[in-house]
Amino acid sequence: MLRGSDLGVRPFDPGADGPLAFFSPPPDEREVDRYWVNAPYAYVVITYDEEESEHRYYAVEPDLDEFERELLDRVADDIRDPLLYKEGTGRTDEETLRTELESLLEQYGVDAGMDTFHSLAYYLYRDFRGFGKVDPLLNDAHIEDVSCDGYDLPIFVYHDEYTDIETNVSFGKDALDNYVIRLAQQSGRHISVGDPMVETTLSDGSRAELALGEEVTPRGSAFTIRQYAEEPFTPIDLVDYGTFSIEQMAYFWLCIEHNKSLIFAGGTASGKTTSMNAVSMFIPPRAKVLSIEDTRELSLYHDNWLSSVTRERRSEGTDIDMYDLLRSALRHRPEYIIVGEVRGAEAITLFQAMNTGHTTFSTMHADSIETVINRLENEPINVPRAMVQSLDMLSIQTLTRSDDQRIRRAKVVGEIGGIDQRTGELDYSSAFEWRAEADEFRRNDSGLLDEIREERGWARAELLREVRRRERFLDLCSRLGVNGYRRFTALVNEYYADPGHVMDRLEERAEEDETVTAPDTGATDLDAR
């Protein structure tokens, strides 16, 4: 084969070849932050507009001149078939793409510099294997949500430091329609004008809600992508953020060990699933756990865990919904069943499982204990009151503001009692309450802890000793920065095996660490995650 040039491709050298991208803030905006999201190719600049009193988010990618853009379009067309062939052999990766790009440029006779070569390679990989124009946003660890509301509208993100902020990324009509279709196809789902709404999980684990066309979203195709931390949050993370107190986590731990069922309720983005995943780390190490979800969100470091996800019918076969999965789950004889969200007919089966001795965790959209009970007892869930009382605990979470920052707090942790014989109503009480004015949690008497004491045959002093030991365990983990979910779960498992030994080890580490300070109930440097 005749070759028109010999590029001599080498690794990118920022000193000799870069920088690849330049950015200067608009005259009326002041730069307040700048950081890499995909070094050395893409970075983010945060500015502040004094007149508008708002921040703006700029995703900065390698600069391309007119010739390079035309070259990228041609390469993207010509490289598609070789990549599809390589994909069939299981060899498609970033290195394969670079090799194909080098071969094509040499065939074209283009004497490209390394800045051009690596810029083209970045865009090809971003568009073929990444998430296109949204890729820098999804590579930003500070972003929780990415929202596109329609054609030619700026995408908004929720940033953990600057909250809701407008970006410089947008899509035209055809580009946005194609992008939404592509996201659905990449996640194995079908979306069309006849079936224009899809909820799915992307390849990186993010949860996406997609809408195609203008029929259900009049401003055009839309999507919202909810990012999740690479590692799930642990109970220590939630204590450090102030969502729960150490006392509450010790309470959850003791109740979960003793097979008390729990529902986390709250509004959108109040942290229900995050909290449920975190407290699931208290499940005893050998217990059989089965999870049921519409989209994959849970992540447990547990040996005996069977994960199941619902399936939509596409070309053939039948739908498998949460009700089907739950009925099947009971045949696996799990000890703990985790259901992503209670919202329909599956709730009856879930409460039947509670009545037959299975411990269950789930989430629900509701803002109070009364609302949870009302939703459970009425359409479309319709759980009989006699079955609702088999639920032990409710944690009501809220997303609110404090000092101009959004915070998540457990508003109340309630306990479900029996049915009042006089009124016929379901009794409930609060074990913990959040006081917003002081941002602190108040502990009340707990009927569940008394039940556990009676089941174990403990004196009250023995119960208090065990609760305090677990509080001390969590306190030491917080002070020592033990917040990775694998390490934390391993320590919990060690506690189940030999609590005295693991407590001695933690106390020794605390004594050796001269930099340990008293635990802070507010936010920590975890906010930078």
Side-chain angles (χ1 to χ4, degrees):
M1 180 181 293
L2 295 175
R3 296 186 179 273
S5 62
D6 185 2
L7 293 183
V9 172
R10 55 174 171 75
F12 181 75
D13 180 357
D17 305 322
L20 297 177
F22 296 88
F23 177 83
S24 297
D28 54 347
E29 297 176 25
R30 170 173 52 89
E31 182 175 328
V32 296
D33 204 354
R34 180 182 293 232
Y35 55 88
W36 289 107
V37 291
N38 186 359
Y41 305 108
Y43 60 90
V44 166
V45 176
I46 308 292
T47 67
Y48 185 72
D49 187 326
E50 300 283 355
E51 185 174 338
E52 299 292 335
S53 299
E54 62 184 21
H55 289 93
R56 291 196 175 91
Y57 181 107
Y58 293 91
V60 184
E61 299 179 284
D63 299 319
L64 297 179
D65 59 29
E66 185 177 349
F67 170 75
E68 290 170 328
R69 290 190 179 280
E70 292 176 356
L71 186 59
L72 177 61
D73 291 339
R74 180 178 176 183
V75 168
D77 287 336
D78 291 346
I79 207 171
R80 197 177 307 274
D81 288 341
L83 281 184
L84 289 174
Y85 169 76
K86 297 290 185 183
E87 192 173 61
T89 65
R91 292 172 51 201
T92 303
D93 56 20
E94 190 169 2
E95 190 56 41
T96 300
L97 187 146
R98 291 175 181 275
T99 301
E100 294 296 331
L101 173 61
E102 180 181 3
S103 176
L104 282 174
L105 292 179
E106 288 178 341
Q107 290 178 45
Y108 298 161
V110 175
D111 188 15
M114 286 301 97
D115 55 344
T116 296
F117 176 85
H118 288 287
S119 294
L120 295 176
Y122 165 79
Y123 282 109
L124 288 171
Y125 191 78
R126 184 201 76 170
D127 293 340
F128 278 100
R129 290 289 174 264
F131 292 97
K133 294 170 70 171
V134 181
D135 202 63
L137 312 184
L138 296 184
N139 279 321
D140 188 343
H142 295 285
I143 287 180
E144 295 182 17
D145 292 275
V146 178
S147 299
C148 175
D149 301 324
Y151 304 136
D152 299 310
L153 298 173
I155 287 178
F156 278 80
V157 297
Y158 181 79
H159 193 284
D160 63 11
E161 184 171 350
Y162 304 104
T163 65
D164 296 292
I165 183 171
E166 178 183 310
T167 76
N168 64 330
V169 182
S170 63
F171 287 90
K173 183 180 187 304
D174 292 341
L176 183 54
D177 289 345
N178 292 333
Y179 188 74
V180 167
I181 292 171
R182 176 191 165 193
L183 288 179
Q185 291 175 341
Q186 284 183 333
S187 58
R189 296 296 184 98
H190 170 75
I191 192 169
S192 65
V193 175
D195 189 11
M197 299 182 68
V198 166
E199 181 183 14
T200 189
T201 302
L202 304 181
S203 57
D204 67 345
S206 302
R207 183 173 175 177
E209 185 71 29
L210 311 176
L212 179 64
E214 301 174 67
E215 190 170 336
V216 295
T217 47
R219 295 204 290 178
S221 296
F223 62 84
T224 297
I225 300 173
R226 293 181 61 185
Q227 292 266 75
Y228 294 97
E230 292 182 7
E231 286 201 355
F233 288 104
T234 68
I236 302 305
D237 291 323
L238 299 185
V239 166
D240 289 341
Y241 277 128
T243 305
F244 294 91
S245 66
I246 283 177
E247 291 76 17
Q248 286 171 312
M249 280 300 174
Y251 165 86
F252 283 134
W253 186 357
L254 201 60
C255 289
I256 287 169
E257 179 189 353
H258 290 86
N259 302 103
K260 305 303 180 185
S261 293
L262 166 65
I263 285 180
F264 285 94
T268 301
S270 59
K272 302 181 294 295
T273 303
T274 297
S275 297
M276 182 172 68
N277 195 95
V279 301
S280 297
M281 297 176 193
F282 292 133
I283 293 174
R286 297 300 174 191
K288 184 168 185 176
V289 181
L290 197 146
S291 64
I292 299 169
E293 304 173 83
D294 278 328
T295 54
R296 180 75 178 270
E297 295 180 67
L298 297 172
S299 180
L300 301 181
Y301 187 55
H302 194 87
D303 292 335
N304 198 4
W305 170 40
L306 175 60
S307 172
S308 57
V309 181
T310 59
R311 184 188 73 181
E312 282 186 6
R313 180 180 67 245
R314 293 194 290 275
S315 58
E316 59 183 24
T318 58
D319 289 348
I320 299 176
D321 59 21
M322 297 189 81
Y323 178 66
D324 298 322
L325 290 175
L326 189 51
R327 285 192 306 166
S328 172
L330 296 177
R331 301 187 190 106
H332 288 277
R333 299 182 66 185
E335 295 168 69
Y336 292 83
I337 302 173
I338 305 175
V339 177
E341 183 179 348
V342 171
R343 58 185 172 215
E346 73 280 350
I348 291 286
T349 307
L350 184 69
F351 276 82
Q352 286 174 340
M354 288 186 203
N355 276 277
T356 55
H358 297 85
T359 305
T360 66
F361 307 150
S362 191
T363 70
M364 176 182 286
H365 280 83
D367 60 2
S368 68
I369 296 177
E370 296 88 344
T371 307
V372 171
I373 294 173
N374 187 56
R375 283 202 62 199
L376 288 172
E377 292 183 343
N378 292 285
E379 293 284 354
I381 300 178
N382 288 327
V383 176
R385 183 165 295 173
M387 294 177 68
V388 174
Q389 65 179 332
S390 62
L391 176 66
D392 298 299
M393 296 180 287
L394 279 169
S395 177
I396 309 298
Q397 297 196 200
T398 184
L399 176 64
T400 186
R401 285 193 172 273
S402 175
D403 297 327
D404 295 326
Q405 289 189 332
R406 294 208 303 187
I407 60 172
R408 294 175 174 90
R409 293 291 184 267
K411 190 164 61 173
V412 60
V413 176
E415 298 180 349
I416 303 298
I419 297 175
D420 190 302
Q421 297 303 313
R422 294 180 297 104
T423 65
E425 296 296 321
L426 199 61
D427 285 335
Y428 58 86
S429 59
S430 60
F432 294 90
E433 294 175 339
W434 177 56
R435 293 185 168 183
E437 64 278 5
D439 192 16
E440 63 182 18
F441 299 98
R442 185 182 72 181
R443 187 204 301 249
N444 301 319
D445 292 337
S446 167
L448 285 181
L449 292 184
D450 286 337
E451 283 183 23
I452 292 170
R453 178 180 58 80
E454 292 174 3
E455 290 169 10
R456 295 294 296 266
W458 287 340
R460 185 160 185 80
E462 291 177 288
L463 172 67
L464 294 175
R465 189 182 310 117
E466 183 59 33
V467 169
R468 287 170 182 158
R469 182 164 63 176
R470 296 185 192 215
E471 290 173 359
R472 179 60 178 165
F473 173 97
L474 296 167
D475 177 32
L476 289 170
C477 286
S478 176
R479 295 171 61 189
L480 294 168
V482 181
N483 49 28
Y485 80 106
R486 289 183 176 85
R487 181 60 183 143
F488 178 79
T489 306
L491 283 173
V492 169
N493 292 347
E494 287 183 44
Y495 185 96
Y496 278 120
D498 190 342
H501 176 67
V502 72
M503 290 302 299
D504 288 343
R505 285 176 49 211
L506 288 172
E507 295 285 3
E508 288 172 7
R509 278 191 57 191
E511 291 177 5
E512 293 170 0
D513 190 347
E514 296 179 353
T515 64
V516 168
T517 57
D520 187 344
T521 58
T524 70
D525 61 355
L526 287 168
D527 289 322
R529 279 182 20 167

